[in-house]
Amino acid sequence: MYETIETAKDDAVLVVTLNRPDALNALNAQLMAELSDALKQAEGDNAVGAIVITGSEKAFAAGADIKEMASGEFATMYLEDKVSSGFDQINRCRKPIIAAVAGYALGGGCELAMACDFILAADTAKFGQPEITIGAIPGAGGTQRLARSVGKAKAMELCLTGRMMAADEAERCGLVSRVVPAADLNSEAIETAKKIAGFSRPVTLMVKEAVNRAFETSLQEGLLFERRSFHAVFALEDQAEGMAAFVEKRKPAFKNK
Ligand code: HXC
Protein backbone atom coordinates (compact mmCIF):
# COMPACT_ATOMS: atom_id res chain seq x y z
CA MET A 1 0.00 0.00 0.00
CA TYR A 2 0.93 3.65 -0.01
CA GLU A 3 3.27 5.32 2.50
CA THR A 4 2.94 9.02 1.68
CA ILE A 5 -0.77 9.23 0.87
CA GLU A 6 -3.92 7.67 2.28
CA THR A 7 -6.84 6.68 0.11
CA ALA A 8 -10.43 6.01 1.13
CA LYS A 9 -13.64 5.47 -0.80
CA ASP A 10 -16.80 7.26 0.26
CA ASP A 11 -19.59 6.02 -2.02
CA ALA A 12 -18.47 7.01 -5.51
CA VAL A 13 -15.80 9.41 -4.27
CA LEU A 14 -12.12 8.58 -3.90
CA VAL A 15 -10.52 10.71 -1.19
CA VAL A 16 -6.75 11.01 -1.41
CA THR A 17 -5.07 12.52 1.66
CA LEU A 18 -1.47 13.67 1.32
CA ASN A 19 0.34 12.26 4.33
CA ARG A 20 3.87 13.46 5.04
CA PRO A 21 3.11 15.38 8.24
CA ASP A 22 6.78 15.86 9.22
CA ALA A 23 7.46 17.71 5.97
CA LEU A 24 4.16 19.61 5.69
CA ASN A 25 3.21 17.22 2.86
CA ALA A 26 6.12 18.37 0.70
CA LEU A 27 5.87 16.69 -2.68
CA ASN A 28 8.72 14.24 -3.15
CA ALA A 29 9.18 11.65 -5.89
CA GLN A 30 7.53 8.90 -3.84
CA LEU A 31 4.46 10.96 -3.01
CA MET A 32 3.98 12.01 -6.63
CA ALA A 33 4.42 8.38 -7.80
CA GLU A 34 1.85 7.18 -5.26
CA LEU A 35 -0.57 9.99 -6.11
CA SER A 36 -0.20 9.21 -9.82
CA ASP A 37 -0.84 5.53 -9.15
CA ALA A 38 -3.96 6.26 -7.07
CA LEU A 39 -5.34 8.53 -9.80
CA LYS A 40 -4.60 5.96 -12.48
CA GLN A 41 -6.49 3.31 -10.49
CA ALA A 42 -9.39 5.72 -9.97
CA GLU A 43 -9.51 6.50 -13.66
CA GLY A 44 -9.99 2.81 -14.45
CA ASP A 45 -12.44 2.14 -11.62
CA ASN A 46 -16.07 2.45 -12.70
CA ALA A 47 -17.13 2.76 -9.08
CA VAL A 48 -15.31 6.11 -8.79
CA GLY A 49 -17.09 9.16 -10.17
CA ALA A 50 -15.08 11.99 -8.63
CA ILE A 51 -11.90 12.50 -6.62
CA VAL A 52 -10.97 14.74 -3.70
CA ILE A 53 -7.32 15.53 -2.96
CA THR A 54 -6.70 16.98 0.46
CA GLY A 55 -3.90 17.44 3.02
CA SER A 56 -3.79 18.19 6.73
CA GLU A 57 -5.13 21.06 8.82
CA LYS A 58 -1.71 22.73 8.71
CA ALA A 59 -0.75 22.09 5.10
CA PHE A 60 -2.25 20.95 1.84
CA ALA A 61 1.37 20.83 0.64
CA ALA A 62 4.26 23.22 1.34
CA GLY A 63 5.77 22.70 -2.10
CA ALA A 64 8.11 20.33 -3.83
CA ASP A 65 10.47 18.68 -1.35
CA ILE A 66 13.32 21.18 -1.12
CA LYS A 67 15.60 18.72 0.68
CA GLU A 68 15.17 16.19 -2.13
CA MET A 69 15.66 18.84 -4.82
CA ALA A 70 18.53 20.75 -3.25
CA SER A 71 21.37 18.75 -4.83
CA GLY A 72 19.70 18.55 -8.26
CA GLU A 73 21.62 19.23 -11.46
CA PHE A 74 20.24 20.26 -14.83
CA ALA A 75 20.68 16.88 -16.51
CA THR A 76 19.07 14.85 -13.73
CA MET A 77 16.26 17.36 -13.28
CA TYR A 78 15.66 17.45 -17.03
CA LEU A 79 15.79 13.68 -17.46
CA GLU A 80 14.32 12.45 -14.19
CA ASP A 81 12.14 15.18 -12.70
CA LYS A 82 9.72 12.78 -11.05
CA VAL A 83 7.83 15.50 -9.19
CA SER A 84 6.95 17.47 -12.30
CA SER A 85 6.20 14.34 -14.31
CA GLY A 86 3.84 13.26 -11.52
CA PHE A 87 1.65 16.17 -12.60
CA ASP A 88 1.14 14.50 -16.00
CA GLN A 89 -1.22 11.92 -14.52
CA ILE A 90 -3.32 14.65 -12.91
CA ASN A 91 -3.50 16.50 -16.22
CA ARG A 92 -4.54 13.25 -17.96
CA CYS A 93 -7.28 12.35 -15.47
CA ARG A 94 -10.70 12.65 -17.12
CA LYS A 95 -12.69 12.39 -13.90
CA PRO A 96 -13.36 15.55 -11.89
CA ILE A 97 -10.83 16.28 -9.14
CA ILE A 98 -11.50 18.72 -6.30
CA ALA A 99 -8.61 20.13 -4.26
CA ALA A 100 -9.68 20.65 -0.64
CA VAL A 101 -7.08 23.06 0.73
CA ALA A 102 -6.45 23.95 4.37
CA GLY A 103 -3.26 25.63 5.59
CA TYR A 104 -0.28 26.06 3.30
CA ALA A 105 -0.56 25.48 -0.45
CA LEU A 106 2.80 26.79 -1.56
CA GLY A 107 4.95 26.31 -4.63
CA GLY A 108 4.27 22.85 -6.02
CA GLY A 109 1.42 22.58 -3.47
CA CYS A 110 -0.34 25.57 -4.97
CA GLU A 111 0.39 24.14 -8.42
CA LEU A 112 -1.06 20.79 -7.41
CA ALA A 113 -4.24 22.49 -6.19
CA MET A 114 -4.48 24.47 -9.44
CA ALA A 115 -3.99 21.32 -11.52
CA CYS A 116 -7.22 20.00 -9.97
CA ASP A 117 -10.52 21.06 -11.53
CA PHE A 118 -11.41 23.47 -8.77
CA ILE A 119 -10.25 24.42 -5.31
CA LEU A 120 -12.40 24.50 -2.18
CA ALA A 121 -10.52 26.39 0.51
CA ALA A 122 -10.71 26.39 4.28
CA ASP A 123 -10.61 29.83 5.86
CA THR A 124 -7.10 28.87 7.06
CA ALA A 125 -5.74 28.34 3.53
CA LYS A 126 -2.66 30.26 2.36
CA PHE A 127 -1.57 30.19 -1.26
CA GLY A 128 1.72 31.30 -2.74
CA GLN A 129 4.54 30.69 -5.17
CA PRO A 130 7.60 31.29 -2.94
CA GLU A 131 10.11 29.62 -5.30
CA ILE A 132 11.84 32.94 -5.92
CA THR A 133 12.84 33.08 -2.26
CA ILE A 134 14.89 29.88 -2.68
CA GLY A 135 16.47 30.79 -6.01
CA ALA A 136 14.01 28.94 -8.21
CA ILE A 137 10.89 29.53 -10.27
CA PRO A 138 7.58 27.65 -10.33
CA GLY A 139 7.85 24.48 -12.41
CA ALA A 140 4.39 22.92 -12.60
CA GLY A 141 1.99 25.65 -13.63
CA GLY A 142 2.67 28.42 -11.12
CA THR A 143 3.40 31.02 -13.77
CA GLN A 144 0.82 29.66 -16.24
CA ARG A 145 -2.25 28.42 -14.40
CA LEU A 146 -2.00 31.17 -11.79
CA ALA A 147 -1.84 33.88 -14.48
CA ARG A 148 -4.85 32.39 -16.28
CA SER A 149 -6.71 32.08 -13.01
CA VAL A 150 -6.06 35.41 -11.25
CA GLY A 151 -4.73 37.60 -14.08
CA LYS A 152 -1.30 39.00 -14.83
CA ALA A 153 -0.98 41.62 -12.08
CA LYS A 154 -1.60 39.34 -9.13
CA ALA A 155 0.21 36.32 -10.63
CA MET A 156 3.23 38.46 -11.39
CA GLU A 157 3.22 39.98 -7.91
CA LEU A 158 2.86 36.61 -6.17
CA CYS A 159 5.58 34.94 -8.26
CA LEU A 160 7.99 37.89 -8.04
CA THR A 161 7.62 38.51 -4.31
CA GLY A 162 6.77 35.04 -2.98
CA ARG A 163 4.13 36.56 -0.72
CA MET A 164 1.33 34.37 0.59
CA MET A 165 -2.31 35.09 -0.15
CA ALA A 166 -5.00 34.23 2.41
CA ALA A 167 -8.23 32.40 1.58
CA ASP A 168 -10.42 35.51 1.36
CA GLU A 169 -8.10 37.15 -1.15
CA ALA A 170 -7.88 33.88 -3.09
CA GLU A 171 -11.66 33.78 -3.31
CA ARG A 172 -11.91 37.44 -4.36
CA CYS A 173 -9.47 36.92 -7.22
CA GLY A 174 -11.07 33.68 -8.42
CA LEU A 175 -8.35 31.19 -7.48
CA VAL A 176 -10.79 29.21 -5.32
CA SER A 177 -14.43 28.46 -5.95
CA ARG A 178 -15.51 28.81 -2.30
CA VAL A 179 -14.17 29.33 1.21
CA VAL A 180 -15.66 27.29 4.06
CA PRO A 181 -14.87 27.02 7.78
CA ALA A 182 -11.86 24.74 8.26
CA ALA A 183 -13.90 22.26 10.30
CA ASP A 184 -16.30 21.76 7.38
CA LEU A 185 -13.74 21.54 4.57
CA ASN A 186 -13.52 17.79 4.07
CA SER A 187 -17.23 17.10 4.48
CA GLU A 188 -18.06 19.96 2.11
CA ALA A 189 -15.56 18.69 -0.48
CA ILE A 190 -16.83 15.12 -0.23
CA GLU A 191 -20.49 16.19 -0.47
CA THR A 192 -19.65 18.30 -3.52
CA ALA A 193 -17.78 15.38 -5.10
CA LYS A 194 -20.69 13.03 -4.34
CA LYS A 195 -23.08 15.42 -6.03
CA ILE A 196 -20.89 15.45 -9.16
CA ALA A 197 -20.46 11.68 -9.07
CA GLY A 198 -24.26 11.30 -8.97
CA PHE A 199 -24.72 12.87 -12.41
CA SER A 200 -24.30 11.03 -15.70
CA ARG A 201 -20.62 10.04 -15.94
CA PRO A 202 -20.21 10.75 -19.68
CA VAL A 203 -21.94 14.12 -19.30
CA THR A 204 -19.70 15.00 -16.38
CA LEU A 205 -16.58 14.20 -18.39
CA MET A 206 -17.90 16.25 -21.31
CA VAL A 207 -18.43 19.26 -19.05
CA LYS A 208 -14.84 18.98 -17.79
CA GLU A 209 -13.48 18.69 -21.35
CA ALA A 210 -15.51 21.64 -22.53
CA VAL A 211 -14.59 23.99 -19.68
CA ASN A 212 -10.91 23.06 -20.14
CA ARG A 213 -11.21 24.00 -23.82
CA ALA A 214 -11.84 27.58 -22.71
CA PHE A 215 -8.18 27.73 -21.68
CA GLU A 216 -6.72 25.97 -24.66
CA THR A 217 -8.33 27.40 -27.77
CA SER A 218 -10.01 30.44 -29.30
CA LEU A 219 -13.52 31.45 -28.26
CA GLN A 220 -14.99 30.42 -31.63
CA GLU A 221 -13.32 26.99 -31.52
CA GLY A 222 -14.34 26.56 -27.91
CA LEU A 223 -17.94 27.48 -28.65
CA LEU A 224 -17.99 25.02 -31.55
CA PHE A 225 -16.53 22.27 -29.36
CA GLU A 226 -19.17 23.02 -26.72
CA ARG A 227 -22.02 22.99 -29.25
CA ARG A 228 -20.91 19.66 -30.75
CA SER A 229 -20.64 18.18 -27.27
CA PHE A 230 -24.12 19.50 -26.50
CA HIS A 231 -25.39 17.79 -29.66
CA ALA A 232 -23.55 14.61 -28.65
CA VAL A 233 -25.42 14.28 -25.35
CA PHE A 234 -28.50 13.50 -27.42
CA ALA A 235 -26.83 10.17 -28.25
CA LEU A 236 -26.96 9.24 -24.56
CA GLU A 237 -29.70 7.38 -22.73
CA ASP A 238 -28.90 9.61 -19.76
CA GLN A 239 -30.03 12.72 -21.68
CA ALA A 240 -33.39 11.10 -22.43
CA GLU A 241 -33.69 9.94 -18.82
CA GLY A 242 -32.67 13.31 -17.35
CA MET A 243 -35.17 15.28 -19.40
CA ALA A 244 -37.97 12.70 -18.97
CA ALA A 245 -37.41 12.79 -15.20
CA PHE A 246 -37.75 16.57 -15.19
CA VAL A 247 -41.01 16.41 -17.16
CA GLU A 248 -42.36 13.61 -14.94
CA LYS A 249 -41.28 15.44 -11.74
CA ARG A 250 -39.09 12.59 -10.44
CA LYS A 251 -35.41 12.03 -9.78
CA PRO A 252 -33.43 10.78 -12.78
CA ALA A 253 -31.80 7.35 -12.66
CA PHE A 254 -28.64 7.80 -14.69
CA LYS A 255 -26.96 4.71 -16.16
CA ASN A 256 -23.74 6.34 -17.29
CA LYS A 257 -24.47 5.60 -20.92
C1 HXC B 1 10.91 19.98 2.37
C2 HXC B 1 9.74 21.07 4.01
C3 HXC B 1 9.11 21.89 3.05
C4 HXC B 1 9.43 21.67 1.69
C5 HXC B 1 8.41 22.46 5.01
N1 HXC B 1 9.27 21.45 5.19
N2 HXC B 1 8.29 22.75 3.71
N3 HXC B 1 10.62 20.10 3.66
N4 HXC B 1 10.34 20.71 1.40
N5 HXC B 1 8.87 22.38 0.70
C6 HXC B 1 9.69 20.85 6.45
C7 HXC B 1 10.61 21.77 7.25
O1 HXC B 1 11.95 21.64 6.80
C8 HXC B 1 10.42 21.24 8.65
O2 HXC B 1 11.18 20.04 8.79
C9 HXC B 1 8.96 20.84 8.68
O3 HXC B 1 8.56 20.68 7.31
C10 HXC B 1 8.07 21.91 9.29
O4 HXC B 1 8.34 23.11 8.62
P1 HXC B 1 8.71 24.50 9.39
O5 HXC B 1 9.39 25.37 8.42
O6 HXC B 1 9.41 24.20 10.66
O7 HXC B 1 7.24 25.02 9.71
P2 HXC B 1 6.78 26.54 9.89
O8 HXC B 1 7.80 27.33 10.70
O9 HXC B 1 5.38 26.46 10.41
O10 HXC B 1 6.79 27.17 8.42
C11 HXC B 1 5.89 26.67 7.47
C12 HXC B 1 6.30 27.17 6.05
C13 HXC B 1 7.79 26.82 5.80
C14 HXC B 1 6.11 28.69 5.97
C15 HXC B 1 5.39 26.50 5.03
O11 HXC B 1 7.99 25.44 6.10
C16 HXC B 1 8.25 27.05 4.39
O12 HXC B 1 8.54 28.19 4.00
N6 HXC B 1 8.39 25.96 3.59
C17 HXC B 1 8.94 26.06 2.25
C18 HXC B 1 7.92 26.61 1.30
C19 HXC B 1 8.49 26.72 -0.12
O13 HXC B 1 9.50 27.42 -0.34
N7 HXC B 1 7.84 26.01 -1.06
C20 HXC B 1 8.32 26.02 -2.47
C21 HXC B 1 9.25 24.87 -2.70
S1 HXC B 1 9.87 24.85 -4.36
P3 HXC B 1 12.22 19.83 10.01
O14 HXC B 1 12.85 18.51 9.72
O15 HXC B 1 13.13 20.99 10.03
O16 HXC B 1 11.31 19.79 11.23
C22 HXC B 1 8.60 24.19 -5.29
C23 HXC B 1 8.89 24.06 -6.75
C24 HXC B 1 7.84 23.29 -7.48
O17 HXC B 1 7.58 23.88 -4.83
C25 HXC B 1 8.36 22.82 -8.77
C26 HXC B 1 7.41 21.94 -9.56
C27 HXC B 1 6.91 20.73 -8.91
Side-chain angles (χ1 to χ4, degrees):
M1 270 322 281
Y2 302 126
E3 290 173 354
T4 62
I5 62 170
E6 286 174 359
T7 58
K9 290 239 186 86
D10 192 334
D11 292 338
V13 175
L14 176 74
V15 182
V16 180
T17 306
L18 309 182
N19 186 29
R20 294 190 69 213
D22 295 343
L24 301 183
N25 294 332
L27 309 173
N28 63 3
Q30 183 183 3
L31 185 148
M32 290 312 289
E34 292 183 354
L35 177 61
S36 299
D37 186 70
L39 293 177
K40 205 167 170 188
Q41 307 280 338
E43 187 76 344
D45 183 348
N46 280 337
V48 174
I51 298 153
V52 172
I53 301 180
T54 192
S56 67
E57 270 177 43
K58 181 159 184 198
F60 177 73
D65 191 313
I66 300 168
K67 293 167 190 167
E68 191 179 69
M69 266 187 315
S71 59
E73 295 166 354
F74 176 77
T76 44
M77 290 304 284
Y78 182 73
L79 294 171
E80 300 162 24
D81 179 2
K82 297 196 172 75
V83 173
S84 298
S85 60
F87 278 79
D88 296 343
Q89 189 64 42
I90 301 166
N91 298 338
R92 264 199 300 273
C93 186
R94 300 173 74 202
K95 294 179 179 174
I97 309 178
I98 302 174
V101 174
Y104 297 112
L106 302 177
C110 186
E111 292 171 315
L112 174 60
M114 291 191 291
C116 297
D117 294 307
F118 61 93
I119 303 172
L120 279 182
D123 48 14
T124 57
K126 292 187 191 69
F127 299 89
Q129 298 291 159
E131 288 89 343
I132 196 161
T133 68
I134 55 164
I137 79 163
T143 64
Q144 301 302 299
R145 286 200 175 94
L146 189 63
R148 280 170 165 79
S149 175
V150 306
K152 178 179 170 183
K154 202 173 280 284
M156 198 64 101
E157 189 216 332
L158 289 170
C159 290
L160 283 175
T161 66
R163 109 171 146 82
M164 289 185 215
M165 172 164 78
D168 56 344
E169 183 181 353
E171 186 181 32
R172 274 200 309 278
C173 68
L175 179 62
V176 310
S177 67
R178 272 190 296 137
V179 178
V180 299
D184 301 339
L185 177 68
N186 282 357
S187 57
E188 196 65 42
I190 291 167
E191 282 317 304
T192 305
K194 280 185 186 173
K195 181 171 190 176
I196 294 168
F199 295 128
S200 166
R201 182 84 40 86
V203 172
T204 307
L205 268 53
M206 282 187 204
V207 169
K208 173 166 168 165
E209 279 179 0
V211 174
N212 280 334
R213 279 288 155 133
F215 300 96
E216 280 153 16
T217 189
S218 69
L219 179 60
Q220 283 312 314
E221 287 300 318
L223 288 169
L224 182 60
F225 182 86
E226 180 193 74
R227 187 172 296 181
R228 285 292 171 273
S229 301
F230 171 69
H231 293 154
V233 301
F234 289 84
L236 293 171
E237 288 179 26
D238 283 343
Q239 167 275 326
E241 167 63 10
M243 293 189 187
F246 175 82
V247 173
E248 292 159 19
K249 298 187 189 298
R250 60 175 173 82
K251 279 186 89 171
F254 293 125
K255 294 184 188 150
N256 297 334
K257 56 183 187 175

